[in-house]
Amino acid sequence: MGAPAKGGLAVIGAIFLLLGLFKLFTGGAWIVWIILGVLLGGLSVLFGKKGVS
């Protein structure tokens, strides 16, 4: 996958992580959103870590 595609997936992962945190605080089903966010690379967007190219 090219760099733009990986970057796009990481942004979607970050959105899923934020949605998971929102669901956690409101009492919803949060674990699925957190797992999807981590699998799609959302932590790299939130914490600024760059992948090795």
Side-chain angles (χ1 to χ4, degrees), residues 24-37:
L24 173 67
F25 292 127
T26 59
W30 57 273
I31 191 69
V32 174
W33 299 110
I34 299 290
I35 291 171
L36 282 173

Side-chain angles (χ1 to χ4, degrees), residues 1-3 6-7 9-13 18-20 22 24-25 27 32 37-38 40 45 48 51-52:
M1 242 189 279
K6 286 183 181 178
L9 284 177
V11 170
I12 293 172
L18 294 174
L19 180 63
F22 174 74
L24 173 67
F25 292 127
V32 174
V38 170
L40 291 175
V45 171
V52 178

